[in-house]
Structures are given as structure tokens and as C-alpha cells.
Amino acid sequence: MASTDSQYSRVLIFGAGNFGSCLASHLGDTQHDVYMWAREGAIVSHFNEHHRNPVYLRDHQFPSNITAVGPEMPSKELIDSMDVLLFAIPTQFLRENLAILQPQLDTEKMPLLIFVNKGIEIGTHALTLEIIADTCGPEVAKKATFISGPSFAKEIVERQPTSVSVASFTEEEANKASLLFHQPHFRCYTGGDPIGIELAGALKNVYAIASGMSDGLGFENNTRAMIITRGLAEMTCIGTAYGASPLTFLGLAGVGDLFLTCSSSNSRNYTVGYRLGKGESLDTIMKTLGSVAEGVSTAKGVKKIIDELGVNAPIANTIYHVLYHGKDARTGVRELMGLPPSRELELPPTAGGPARQLLRKLGLGEIVSSNL
């Protein structure tokens, strides 16, 4: 395995969707040797022949130093030759793919592991950190690095100025990931709260559905500003109760990504909400959306978390009931606005239970529990 301290790295990206393809292009532009795994053979063959993705970013010409592989899982020989493994697989499919991949990993020569998925696993309500620990072991999870922030794929491949948050429990790994991606048009900021980064990236999608729903109902700027601001307050309360740092939600992965996702029709989650506000059924929307909207599945996990933690999150609650219990969108708005007056900003009195359990699972309780 080559050194990640060298100028160029060998990178294998799992996932040829919108964001995986975008990051492959970004790293290919900077002369890294990039491989992109796709589960569809047609995408692999078309990409290698034309250097275009026939499904995502179809108008973009990808650099010639990107090779598509698949649909079979990459060989151990290929994986062993990589400096970086980057996962752009939807959260709901991550566990099964990591379980298949785990026997191929050499824990003595572990490459840099980067995760860019956003969401909470259905059923287990697990964050990606816990999925990694369950499938690959706690030592692997401790070194995992997470990237999140306001970053639409189309704008990244157009080299528009973009900044993201990079977080890991292992500072060295976060710094490596930052250096790998950092370019004049793409700036990275590192941190040590991957739990907060994960929660922020998952939660903001639920509030993007709320914002789109508001626009679909015909409400305008005042309402959107209210949803973004109160959404940030709910995200911070949920995150703090879970055990994340409240400061994380003031960064790029928190308010930055929330603002972007809640205010653009390019957001899949916003689009789901907008179409709900226009009166379409969720079933019809999901069948015709053409890509994954993580906020729909995340709403279930968030509902479970806020009930277990006793957090007051009325917007998230309402979105859950609209999605899964057929609540009328306009009725949901009326009920939210009819709630009794309350304090604007108030963090939960107790915090950190789920995070402390996860940290103990990773063998990190004694190291970082003082930060929770």
C-alpha cells in the first residue's frame, strides 16, 4: 500500500451515484489514481468507454484517470493496493456492503476510510459509526473519517467554491482526509466530533422535507426562515441530548448544510417535501424521484431517538406523521403554529447517554467522555 503522505493517492470509491461520481471527478482532477465501484455493470462499461456516467451528472466529462469497477465487489488485491477507501453508499445499504468487504480488509495496513453517506439506519437506528463497529470492529470505527457540509455535486464538478467539515476521533486521519480533498476551490475544516457530524448530516434532511413542504403549500420567505431557524434549534437539542457537541451544529455540517438543503430545489429531500405540499402521495413521489432521499427513512430513526431521549422536536415529529401516518401537510402546519408559547433556546438538562454507549463500544469512553 502506498503512503497517504505522498503527493498522489490511490483511491477506491464505493458508489457511483451523484455524490460518489462527483467526488471521483474532484479527486481525478487533482491527479489521484481513482477507481469507482458501481453495482450496475452497464454503468461500469459505459463509464470506461465514454468517461461519462450514464445516470448521474450525465453532462459531465470525467477525467481519464478514473476507472470504473464492478459490479462484483473489488478483489482483495485491488483493495490492498489502495491508500483510501471512500464510501458513498446510502446508509440503508452500508451494513451489507461492509459485511461483504470486511474479510478483504487488512487491519494491519488499513487504508484511510472516509464516509460521506448521511442517514440513520432503519430498524437499528444506528449511526454509521456503529454500523462500522458492528461489521468491521471498533478499531476500524475509531479511525473512520466523515465528510459533510453544503456540497451539491453539480457545483463541485463545476469547481465552484465549496467548504465542508471533516471529522474523526483520530485527528491524524481527519487531517489526511482534509489534505486529500483540499483544493483552491474546495476547502476542508477538521474537527473531532464525528457523532455530531453524522447527526447533523442526517437530521438536516428531515427539515429539508419540512421546508419543501412549506413551499409546496404556497408559503414564502418568513415561513422558510422560521423552519430553518427552528430546525437548527431542534437539531442542536437532539444532538446535545444524544451526546454531540452543540457547537458542531453551528458549523458547515450543521447550519451550513441545513440552509443549503432547505432552500434549493436541487435537494432531493426538499423536492420530496415540495411534492407532498402540492398534494402528491409519498408512494408516487418515491417511485418517480429517481434517486435516494435519505430524509424519508431518517425520519423514522429520528422519531425513535427523540422519543427515547425525551426531546421536544415538534417539526421532526410532524414530518414523521406526514410521511408515515398520512397526516395532511396543511393540518400539520396549523397544529405546529397552534402550539403554546415556549422558550426559544433551551438545551436538554441531561445529555450524552447514546454517545457514551457508542464510545464504550469503541473503547473510547475514558478518552473523550469529558467532552460530552
Side-chain angles (χ1 to χ4, degrees):
M1 185 179 71
S3 169
T4 50
D5 293 329
S6 61
Q7 186 176 5
Y8 302 120
S9 297
R10 288 171 60 80
V11 183
L12 173 56
I13 297 174
F14 290 88
N18 210 41
F19 205 56
S21 299
C22 144
L23 296 182
S25 179
H26 175 75
L27 294 173
D29 276 345
T30 49
Q31 301 306 307
H32 296 293
D33 192 6
V34 180
Y35 294 80
M36 181 174 67
W37 174 78
R39 62 181 180 177
E40 300 90 354
I43 290 180
V44 174
S45 57
H46 187 279
F47 186 93
N48 288 333
E49 183 178 354
H50 304 286
H51 282 283
R52 290 182 183 271
N53 189 322
V55 180
Y56 300 97
L57 301 172
R58 287 178 292 180
D59 295 331
H60 180 65
Q61 183 72 43
F62 287 78
S64 60
N65 55 323
I66 305 173
T67 302
V69 296
E72 300 82 9
M73 189 62 74
S75 67
K76 179 173 173 50
E77 181 182 8
L78 180 63
I79 291 170
D80 284 345
S81 72
M82 292 296 147
D83 303 307
V84 182
L85 301 181
L86 188 153
F87 296 87
I89 299 170
T91 302
Q92 308 310 323
F93 305 104
L94 185 62
R95 186 181 293 272
E96 64 184 77
N97 282 283
L98 285 179
I100 295 170
L101 180 65
Q102 189 275 331
Q104 314 270 42
L105 296 177
D106 185 347
T107 55
E108 298 300 317
K109 298 178 181 179
M110 185 64 65
L112 174 63
L113 300 180
I114 300 174
F115 294 81
V116 299
N117 55 296
K118 299 172 181 177
I120 297 171
E121 189 177 41
I122 296 174
T124 66
H125 314 302
L127 299 181
T128 295
L129 267 168
E130 189 167 1
I131 297 173
I132 300 167
D134 289 344
T135 55
C136 301
E139 292 303 315
V140 176
K142 281 190 282 192
K143 291 188 175 183
T145 300
F146 299 83
I147 296 179
S148 190
S151 47
F152 282 153
K154 178 178 179 293
E155 296 178 19
I156 292 175
V157 298
E158 292 173 350
R159 295 192 173 190
Q160 296 189 32
T162 301
S163 289
V164 295
S165 299
V166 180
S168 175
F169 285 128
T170 306
E171 185 177 5
E172 179 184 2
E173 301 297 282
N175 289 336
K176 286 179 183 178
S178 178
L179 289 172
L180 178 75
F181 278 95
H182 198 89
Q183 291 299 323
H185 59 283
F186 195 94
R187 184 169 178 81
C188 301
Y189 292 87
T190 58
D193 182 21
I195 292 176
I197 292 290
E198 279 206 69
L199 284 169
L203 291 168
K204 59 90 181 179
N205 287 328
V206 177
Y207 298 98
I209 293 173
S211 181
M213 196 169 70
S214 167
D215 286 2
L217 289 168
F219 302 124
E220 299 185 36
N221 299 301
N222 291 357
T223 313
R224 186 185 309 114
M226 174 185 69
I227 290 169
I228 292 173
T229 308
R230 293 308 306 160
L232 178 61
E234 288 190 14
M235 286 170 57
T236 305
C237 284
I238 296 167
T240 304
Y242 198 97
S245 167
L247 292 177
T248 299
F249 296 88
L250 298 178
L252 289 160
V255 65
D257 211 0
L258 176 69
F259 181 85
L260 178 73
T261 315
C262 285
S263 55
S264 174
S265 58
N266 290 326
S267 161
R268 298 182 298 273
N269 295 287
Y270 170 96
T271 299
V272 169
Y274 184 84
R275 293 173 65 178
L276 284 170
K278 288 294 186 183
E280 292 187 58
S281 71
L282 180 62
D283 185 57
T284 298
I285 295 168
M286 299 310 291
K287 286 179 178 177
T288 58
L289 189 62
S291 56
V292 176
E294 292 272 21
V296 176
S297 57
T298 297
K300 280 188 176 180
V302 171
K303 172 63 174 172
K304 179 75 170 178
I305 288 171
I306 60 180
D307 285 349
E308 288 181 352
L309 297 177
V311 175
N312 183 34
I315 298 176
N317 250 318
T318 297
I319 293 303
Y320 169 78
H321 284 286
V322 169
L323 292 174
Y324 294 107
H325 292 280
K327 181 185 284 290
D328 174 70
R330 196 171 293 276
T331 299
V333 173
R334 185 169 60 250
E335 290 175 356
L336 281 170
M337 295 304 294
L339 291 171
S342 60
R343 290 178 63 88
E344 182 173 15
L345 300 173
E346 191 168 37
L347 292 178
T350 58
R356 281 195 291 269
Q357 292 175 18
L358 178 54
L359 293 173
R360 283 195 294 269
K361 191 171 191 175
L362 303 184
L364 288 171
E366 298 299 320
I367 299 174
V368 296
S369 61
S370 60
N371 296 326
L372 299 178

